[in-house]
């Protein structure tokens, strides 16, 4: 991602850059990353439990096999999928960095996730215990899923959607979201799920970029006891706006699930109800058999610059990674486990560890629509108690929120069914890890801290339960078959005890295949910083035992509650507001969300109607960001300033603004074009301007 940094245009004509300026263009040195100070001194370690090891899906032998021959290892993993036609070649890397895995094999993702279980006599197994926020529930077996995906597949075909077409899915966390994704896969269409927390403008951007033919949405979703509108946002997204003159040209239909029953505007011809289109369809549909490299989905994620990137994943390689990692990291015993991943299907975690991985492995899962505090702060623990959840996968930001609410809340529920806990999304601080282990896991459950990315498709670094020791705050070791390493500026592996940049040195089956419509950006973004290596954008430390500690992003990507956001994207939105002359955004450490968005704005001298009061300006701009990107991007703080610090080449020095946002003494200012700027900012803030 370092290379995206070089793309950012300089606002100010550059003087000849000094060597210090050049340094500012580089990723932040992870050794100086201050947010996770406590990781450096953490010494606790927990040995794998013998009781767990006796039955674990993973074994030490796993690492040995992969080391001896990683291609054979992946071949074996791929063979666990059901193939219509077997592959003969494992990896074709001749067109690097675009890999082809198992490319002459033929299969279907939905057949693997659903049909095979019915065919092999597991149709009566429960696939989902669905829990709606208002308390409605559904018990859905694999046979029920089979019926629902076939009807939905026929419904999509009846709307003229076919193999290779793109379908945008903008749904709440309800069974239809899973059905819609699998129905797309079933007919060979490519789904692009857009998280329900994104705005109409963000949805439109994604629809246009992928040229989606169909949008699947709902009237609304349930959120904290009220009805969150979705269909109105789709209507707004498809209509002309300042950013997008003209209607979304690619969209032929909007397929609407009735979830809340709230009144909904209707555009005849374009809008159709799910119950009218899907329900009457025959529950028979032969899957569309596709090549292993056929695109399964596109998922948009923030890069370091510009518009979000549409990352796309293959079918055979992606599913291999999803199913295999799910089996060994979560130790799933499909006959007895009840698995719950609390992520939303709108993120990669939901794609890989709700829809594809667990379903291919025949898991019984919990799917919950709502928030953890509706109607009370023990809702999640109540669900674990009620369904006897055994494996639970969530994010550090959620754990820290529960810590804040107090342990008496989970203590009020019987969590003794749990046997394994997982964490994902951001580095987990040792305190949160220890709390999770003690309060939720009753000191008996191994914790798997899983590092991966939308790009990697599946887990890359994680302990294996029963096999690997765990340390609070460390993701421990690369998965078998994954060549992860920490390197210095020159790409040389660091020694134990040192920090550097996380890289992956060999291709892996579930790696992204590219950025939708932009092959050059793919190579440039991930493969240019270090020759022939995938650069993840994260800083990491190798400890003296060789175990890995992830230290957060080293680029301009922020991680807010495990959601990826880009500083420049929010800056662009702020600057588009008529009051704003300039904006600088940083991710500041936050006790609950990991990082929080903090914006510094300079108000235009000539703007009309600007309130005198900084708080009123901040409120209006926060609403503006919410509307343009979505609630998840709303800045925690917006500070009105007279200047932002820049290098002589015109690049914003976010490091210094982070110091201000985190109330730290401001660091080295020698590369500033104007060294008085920081004093002006601090004085302004102190005087409450
Ligand atoms: C970024 C990827 C992959 C699922 C969710 C996020 C950070 C993710 C961990 C972890 C430390 C982590 C990294 C990564 N991250 N998991 N266990 N420890 N950091 O996916 O939105 O693609 O974000 O999340 O910084 O680069 P994503």
């Amino acid at each position: 991602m370092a290379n995206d940094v070089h793309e950012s245009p300089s606002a100010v004509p550059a003087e000849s850059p000094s060597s210090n300026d050049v340094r500012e263009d580089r990723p932040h040195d992870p050794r100086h990353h201050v947010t996770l100070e406590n990781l450096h001194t953490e010494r606790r370690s927990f040995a794998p439990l013998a009781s767990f090891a006796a039955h674990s899906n993973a074994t030490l032998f796993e690492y040995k096999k992969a080391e001896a021959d990683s291609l054979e290892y992946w071949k074996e993993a791929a063979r666990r999928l059901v193939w219509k036609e077997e592959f003969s070649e494992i990896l074709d890397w001749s067109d690097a960095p675009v890999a082809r895995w198992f490319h002459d094999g033929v299969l279907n993702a939905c057949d693997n996730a659903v049909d095979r279980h019915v065919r092999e006599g597991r149709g009566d197994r429960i696939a989902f215990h669905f829990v709606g926020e208002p308390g409605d529930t559904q018990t859905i077996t694999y046979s029920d899923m089979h019926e629902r995906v076939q009807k939905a597949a026929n419904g999509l075909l009846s709307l003229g959607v076919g193999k290779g077409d793109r379908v945008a899915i903008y749904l709440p966390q309800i069974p239809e979201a899973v059905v819609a994704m699998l129905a797309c896969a079933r007919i060979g269409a490519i789904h692009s799920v857009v998280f329900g927390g994104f705005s109409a403008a963000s949805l439109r951007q994604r629809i246009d970029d992928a040229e989606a033919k169909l949008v699947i949405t709902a009237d609304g979703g349930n959120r904290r006891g009220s009805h969150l509108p979705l269909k109105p946002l789709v209507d707004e997204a498809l209509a002309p706006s300042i950013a997008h003159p003209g209607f979304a040209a690619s969209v032929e239909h909007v397929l609407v699930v009735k979830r809340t029953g709230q009144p909904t505007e209707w555009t005849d011809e374009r809008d159709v109800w799910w119950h009218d289109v899907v329900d009457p369809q025959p529950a028979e549909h032969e899957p569309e058999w596709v090549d292993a490299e056929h695109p399964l989905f596109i998922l948009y994620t923030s890069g370091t610059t510009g518009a979000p990137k549409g990352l796309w994943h293959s079918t055979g390689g992606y599913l291999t990674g999803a199913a295999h990692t799910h089996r060994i990291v979560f130790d799933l015993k499909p006959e007895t486990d009840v698995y719950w991943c609390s992520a939303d299907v709108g993120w990669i975690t939901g794609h890989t560890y709700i829809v594809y991985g667990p379903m291919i492995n025949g898991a019984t899962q919990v799917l919950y629509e709502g928030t953890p505090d509706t109607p009370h702060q023990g809702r999640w623990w109540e669900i674990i108690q009620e369904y006897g959840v055994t494996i639970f996968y969530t994010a550090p930001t959620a754990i820290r929120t529960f810590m804040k609410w107090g342990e008496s809340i989970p203590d009020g529920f019987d969590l003794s069914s749990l046997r394994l806990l997982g964490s994902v999304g951001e580095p987990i601080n040792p305190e949160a890890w220890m709390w999770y282990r003690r309060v939720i896991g009753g000191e008996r459950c191994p914790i798997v801290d899983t590092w991966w990315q939308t790009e990697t498709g599946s887990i890359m670094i994680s302990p294996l339960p029963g096999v690997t020791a765990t340390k609070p705050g460390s993701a421990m070791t690369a998965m078998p078959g994954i060549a992860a390493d920490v390197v210095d500026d020159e790409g040389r592996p660091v020694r134990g005890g040192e920090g550097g940049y996380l890289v992956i040195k060999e291709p892996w089956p579930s790696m992204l295949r590219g950025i939708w419509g932009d092959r050059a950006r793919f190579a440039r973004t991930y493969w240019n910083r270090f020759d022939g290596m995938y650069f993840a954008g994260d800083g990491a430390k190798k400890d003296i035992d060789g175990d890995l500690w992830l230290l957060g992003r080293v680029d301009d990507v922020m991680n807010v509650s495990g959601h990826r956001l880009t500083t420049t994207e929010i800056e662009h939105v702020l600057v588009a507001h008529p009051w704003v002359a300039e904006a600088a955004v940083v991710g500041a450490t936050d006790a609950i969300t990991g990082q929080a968005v903090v914006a510094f704005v300079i108000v235009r001298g000539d703007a009309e109607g600007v309130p005198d009061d900084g708080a009123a300006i901040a409120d209006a701009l926060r609403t503006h960001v919410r509307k343009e990107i979505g609630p998840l991007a709303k800045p925690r703080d917006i500070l009105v300033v007279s200047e932002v610090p820049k290098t002589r080449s015109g690049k914003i020095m976010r490091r210094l603004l982070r110091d201000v946002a985190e109330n730290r003494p401001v660091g080295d200012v020698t590369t500033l074009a104007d060294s008085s700027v920081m004093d002006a900012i601090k004085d302004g803030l102190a005087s409450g301007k």
Side-chain angles (χ1 to χ4, degrees), residues 573-574 577-580 601 603 616-626 634-635 638 640:
V573 163
L574 284 168
H577 191 281
W579 297 346
V580 178
V601 296
V603 171
I617 298 176
D619 270 353
L621 294 179
R622 250 198 298 275
T623 307
H624 170 71
V625 174
R626 181 194 168 94
K634 220 170 64 174
I638 296 184
V640 180

Side-chain angles (χ1 to χ4, degrees), residues 78-79 81-91 100-108 112 163 288-294 314-317 320:
R79 287 262 156 89
L81 299 176
V82 177
W83 296 83
K84 186 73 172 169
E85 285 168 39
E86 285 288 329
F87 55 88
S88 65
E89 190 175 8
I90 303 169
L91 169 65
R100 297 200 304 161
W101 284 88
F102 324 117
H103 69 91
D104 56 350
V106 173
L107 76 172
N108 179 279
N112 270 276
K163 184 177 176 186
E288 177 80 38
W289 304 107
V290 300
D291 294 344
E293 284 300 324
H294 182 68
S314 71
T315 304
T320 297

Side-chain angles (χ1 to χ4, degrees), residues 355-561:
V355 181
Y356 292 108
M359 291 191 74
I360 290 173
N361 292 334
T364 294
Q365 306 189 58
V366 165
L367 186 74
Y368 172 57
E369 180 190 28
T371 49
D373 54 354
T374 308
H376 57 81
Q377 293 179 332
R379 185 75 190 265
W380 280 16
W381 319 123
E382 187 178 65
I383 290 173
I384 289 178
Q385 171 180 286
E386 168 143 11
Y387 293 98
V389 172
T390 57
I391 305 169
F392 182 55
Y393 191 28
T394 194
T397 183
I399 298 166
R400 288 192 298 266
T401 303
F402 297 129
M403 287 171 77
K404 189 179 78 182
W405 291 346
E407 60 188 84
S408 65
I409 292 170
D411 281 352
F413 297 89
D414 178 6
L415 305 180
S416 62
S417 57
L418 288 170
R419 67 180 193 91
L420 177 63
L421 302 174
S423 171
V424 64
E426 54 173 313
I428 178 164
N429 47 312
E431 300 70 38
W433 195 100
M434 291 300 292
W435 189 91
Y436 196 28
R437 181 183 145 82
R438 181 175 59 80
V439 179
I440 307 305
E443 318 249 6
R444 75 186 173 274
C445 304
I447 296 180
V448 289
D449 174 8
T450 61
W451 180 91
W452 58 296
Q453 309 176 292
T454 309
E455 289 86 344
T456 69
S458 62
I459 294 168
M460 305 294 278
I461 304 175
S462 171
L464 293 181
V467 179
T468 319
T470 56
K471 299 174 183 176
S474 171
M476 302 302 289
T477 33
M479 293 283 285
I482 299 299
D485 205 351
V486 182
V487 299
D488 66 15
D489 260 326
E490 267 68 56
R492 292 175 305 230
V494 303
R495 285 192 303 252
E498 291 179 356
Y501 306 101
L502 182 70
V503 295
I504 317 287
K505 294 177 161 173
E506 301 284 344
W508 64 99
S510 67
M511 64 199 280
L512 78 161
R513 296 302 192 263
I515 296 173
W516 191 254
D518 195 346
R519 191 195 147 104
R521 187 175 174 195
F522 168 58
R524 193 171 69 220
T525 305
Y526 301 101
W527 299 88
N528 263 10
R529 175 68 177 84
F530 300 107
D531 198 26
M533 300 182 214
Y534 170 85
F535 174 42
D538 280 51
K541 191 187 115 170
K542 228 188 258 177
D543 69 16
I544 42 170
D545 305 322
D547 294 322
L548 302 173
W549 300 73
L550 280 305
L551 302 176
R553 304 288 306 196
V554 292
D555 51 21
D556 291 334
V557 172
M558 295 173 287
N559 189 327
V560 179
S561 298

Side-chain angles (χ1 to χ4, degrees), residues 4-279:
D4 269 7
V5 173
H6 291 289
E7 292 170 7
S8 40
S10 295
V12 171
E15 290 177 21
S16 64
S18 71
S19 59
N20 280 335
D21 282 337
V22 172
R23 206 186 58 198
E24 277 302 323
D25 282 338
R26 289 260 179 100
H28 321 301
D29 185 335
R31 281 161 298 190
H32 300 153
H33 209 78
V34 288
T35 56
L36 293 161
E37 208 73 74
N38 50 6
L39 290 185
H40 295 290
T41 52
E42 184 56 49
R43 291 280 178 273
R44 288 167 288 199
S45 174
F46 297 87
L49 295 174
S51 56
F52 210 103
H55 308 283
S56 60
N57 290 348
T59 61
L60 207 49
F61 187 54
E62 204 96 22
Y63 294 105
K64 299 228 165 69
K65 269 195 304 197
E67 243 163 66
D69 189 340
S70 63
L71 290 184
E72 267 304 302
Y73 180 79
W74 288 122
K75 181 172 106 185
E76 236 177 79
R79 287 262 156 89
R80 288 178 168 269
L81 299 176
V82 177
W83 296 83
K84 186 73 172 169
E85 285 168 39
E86 285 288 329
F87 55 88
S88 65
E89 190 175 8
I90 303 169
L91 169 65
D92 171 11
W93 190 229
S94 60
D95 192 24
V98 182
R100 297 200 304 161
W101 284 88
F102 324 117
H103 69 91
D104 56 350
V106 173
L107 76 172
N108 179 279
C110 184
D111 178 65
N112 270 276
V114 180
D115 298 35
R116 73 178 298 179
H117 301 303
V118 177
R119 216 160 40 229
E120 295 168 11
R122 295 185 289 275
D124 290 340
R125 184 181 297 163
I126 294 168
F128 289 102
H129 296 286
F130 170 69
V131 183
E133 198 188 75
D136 55 317
T137 60
Q138 292 177 40
T139 306
I140 306 169
T141 64
Y142 276 92
S143 289
D144 297 334
M145 274 312 257
H146 194 215
E147 188 182 325
R148 292 173 78 157
V149 292
Q150 292 186 90
K151 285 186 170 192
N154 285 324
L156 296 183
L157 291 172
S158 78
L159 295 175
V161 179
K163 184 177 176 186
D165 287 338
R166 275 80 60 204
V167 175
I169 299 177
Y170 189 62
L171 280 170
Q173 183 93 326
I174 55 176
E176 283 82 356
V178 180
V179 172
M181 290 164 75
L182 291 171
C184 287
R186 193 172 185 92
I187 65 170
I190 302 164
H191 57 72
S192 162
V193 183
V194 180
F195 175 59
F198 278 114
S199 66
S202 301
L203 175 62
R204 172 64 180 267
Q205 198 173 33
R206 287 157 174 77
I207 288 171
D208 283 357
D209 186 73
E211 296 169 283
K213 202 167 176 179
L214 175 72
V215 182
I216 306 180
T217 190
D219 46 359
N222 296 291
R223 198 135 193 97
R224 297 218 154 81
S226 62
H227 290 165
L228 181 86
L230 285 171
K231 174 65 166 51
L233 293 182
V234 173
D235 291 339
E236 189 187 332
L238 300 183
S241 63
I242 295 168
H244 303 278
F247 284 91
S250 58
V251 176
E252 293 173 6
H253 289 288
V254 179
L255 179 59
V256 189
V257 176
K258 190 176 236 160
R259 171 64 185 145
T260 56
Q262 67 206 86
T264 298
E265 301 256 320
W266 212 248
T267 304
D268 291 335
E269 249 102 280
R270 189 196 70 184
D271 299 348
V272 286
W273 284 110
W274 177 282
H275 53 257
D276 289 338
V277 172
V278 173
D279 291 359

